[in-house]
Amino acid sequence: MALPAPLLEIIACAMKETAPSKWCQAFFAIAAITALSVQLIPKASQSLLLDYGPRATQAKYGAPGDQVGWLYTSVRLVTAVQVPHSWFNHFYAASVAASAFWAYQYFAGRSLLLAIITKQAAVEGPSMGKEQVWLVWILMALQGGRRLFECFYVMKPSRSTMWIGHWALGLIYYLDMSVAIWIEGSRMFHRMAPRLATNHAAGSLLHSKADTAVSSGFSTSQLVGIAIFTTGWLQQHKCHQYLASLKKYTLPEEGLFRHIVCAHYTCECLLYGGLAMAAAPAGRWFNRTLICGSGSSLST
C-alpha cells in the first residue's frame, strides 16, 4: 500500500532539510533506545537477545522453571539465525575499510564526500579544526586496526555464536562511526578538499560568516579527550591480552578486572568518550554526533 502523498512530501522535506550529522545521531539514538528497551522484557527472552557464547547455552533452551510464553517463543524464532562469534572481526575490518574509503573520497575529490560535506557545511555551526579532523580520523583508524589485529593474533578462536541481528547492528554502527568522526568538521573539510576550489557552488560556502567559527589548534577539553582516548585504548589492549591468556572461561580477576567486571567494555566506552571530546568543535566540550555514538556503545 502506497503512502499518502502529504506524508511522502513531509518525509522528502525532512530528508532534504536534515543535516547528515542528524541522521548519524538518529541511528545511534535508535540503537541505544532499542538496547535499553530490551531490559524491560522478561529475563529469559532478554537473554536470547543479548547473550552469546557460553552464557547463551541455557538461554537458548530456556532455564528450568521458565514460563515459555508467546514472547519467549517469538524471540526464540527471531534469534534462531546465528553466525560465528568470529564474525566480530567483520566490524573492525569494516571500520578500517571505511576509514580508507573516506580518505580516498577526500584525496580523490569524489562526489559522495563532496555531497555530504556540502550539505552539512550549509547548516553547520561551529566546526572542528583541520588538526582535529585528521587526528580523530587517525585515532579511529588506530582503534579499528588494533581491534582487527587482536581478532587474528591475540584473541583465542571460539566456537560460540551470536545472533545475526547483533552482527548487522554492529556492522552498521562502525560504518556510521566512520562518518561520525568527521561529519562535524565538514566546513573545514570543505575548505581543505583539493578539488573544491574549482567548484563554484561549493566554494561559495568557504567565506560565509559561519566559517569564522572554525578553529585551529587544540583546546583544553580536546587535549583531555586525547588523553582519555589514549588511556582507554592502551588499557583495552591490556584487558584483551589478559582475557586471551586465561586457560578457560572464568571470571577475570587481574588488572582492571579487580575493580570492574567488564573492564574491556568500560575501556571501549572510555575511548569513545575521549574521542567525542577530542573532536569537539570550537566552544563545545563534546562532539554531538560522537557523544551519541558513545552513548549507543554504552547502552549496548
Side-chain angles (χ1 to χ4, degrees):
M1 183 176 66
L3 293 174
L7 180 58
L8 289 174
E9 291 179 6
I10 293 174
I11 294 174
C13 182
M15 293 182 67
K16 182 178 180 180
E17 299 298 327
T18 303
S21 62
K22 299 301 182 184
W23 289 109
C24 292
Q25 294 169 23
F27 167 76
F28 291 137
I30 292 171
I33 292 171
T34 301
L36 293 173
S37 298
V38 172
Q39 304 299 322
L40 301 177
I41 66 177
K43 184 64 178 179
S45 299
Q46 183 185 126
S47 296
L48 286 173
L49 289 167
L50 300 180
D51 292 351
Y52 58 84
R55 294 178 300 169
T57 303
Q58 189 179 34
K60 183 176 180 181
Y61 300 102
D66 277 351
Q67 294 182 354
V68 183
W70 68 269
L71 178 60
Y72 181 88
T73 303
S74 300
V75 173
R76 186 173 174 181
L77 287 173
V78 169
T79 58
V81 181
Q82 300 282 310
V83 297
H85 187 250
S86 60
W87 281 23
F88 254 79
N89 58 32
H90 294 177
F91 301 158
Y92 313 116
S95 178
V96 173
S99 292
F101 171 77
W102 291 116
Y104 165 74
Q105 284 279 314
Y106 167 72
F107 285 113
R110 295 300 182 182
S111 58
L112 179 58
L113 179 69
L114 174 60
I116 294 174
I117 63 177
T118 299
K119 185 174 180 61
Q120 177 69 22
V123 297
E124 187 173 74
S127 176
M128 297 162 61
K130 63 180 181 180
E131 296 89 352
Q132 288 177 281
V133 170
W134 290 114
L135 176 67
V136 296
W137 201 322
I138 291 170
L139 292 180
M140 188 64 195
L142 285 174
Q143 171 64 4
R146 196 207 80 230
R147 292 294 288 117
L148 187 61
F149 171 82
E150 289 173 347
C151 285
F152 287 104
Y153 299 106
V154 176
M155 307 306 292
K156 294 179 179 178
S158 172
R159 294 182 179 179
S160 61
T161 61
M162 62 177 170
W163 177 41
I164 194 171
H166 284 166
W167 174 81
L169 187 62
L171 202 61
I172 297 172
Y173 175 85
Y174 280 97
L175 293 176
D176 196 9
M177 282 295 291
S178 74
V179 176
I181 58 172
W182 53 261
I183 192 64
E184 291 195 33
S186 290
R187 190 172 298 282
M188 177 57 75
F189 217 9
H190 200 278
R191 168 183 281 177
M192 294 168 61
R195 298 187 181 182
L196 293 183
T198 60
N199 187 309
H200 176 73
S204 63
L205 293 171
L206 301 184
H207 304 291
S208 64
K209 293 181 180 180
D211 198 42
T212 59
V214 175
S215 65
S216 296
F218 297 106
S219 67
T220 301
S221 64
Q222 292 158 4
L223 292 173
V224 171
I226 294 170
I228 292 174
F229 173 89
T230 303
T231 301
W233 193 86
L234 293 172
Q235 289 299 321
Q236 188 183 54
H237 181 59
K238 289 182 179 180
C239 289
H240 288 155
Q241 285 183 315
Y242 168 62
L243 290 174
S245 71
L246 296 175
K247 299 300 181 182
K248 59 181 181 179
Y249 185 83
T250 57
L251 186 66
E253 299 177 343
E254 295 183 11
L256 289 178
F257 289 101
R258 288 179 295 181
H259 312 287
I260 307 171
V261 175
C262 297
H264 50 319
Y265 291 130
T266 302
C267 290
E268 181 100 356
C269 297
L270 190 67
L271 67 88
Y272 280 125
L275 201 64
M277 291 185 70
R284 295 177 182 168
W285 272 88
F286 293 100
N287 180 300
R288 292 176 179 176
T289 307
L290 282 176
I291 201 63
C292 288
S294 301
S296 179
S297 175
L298 179 62
S299 64
T300 54

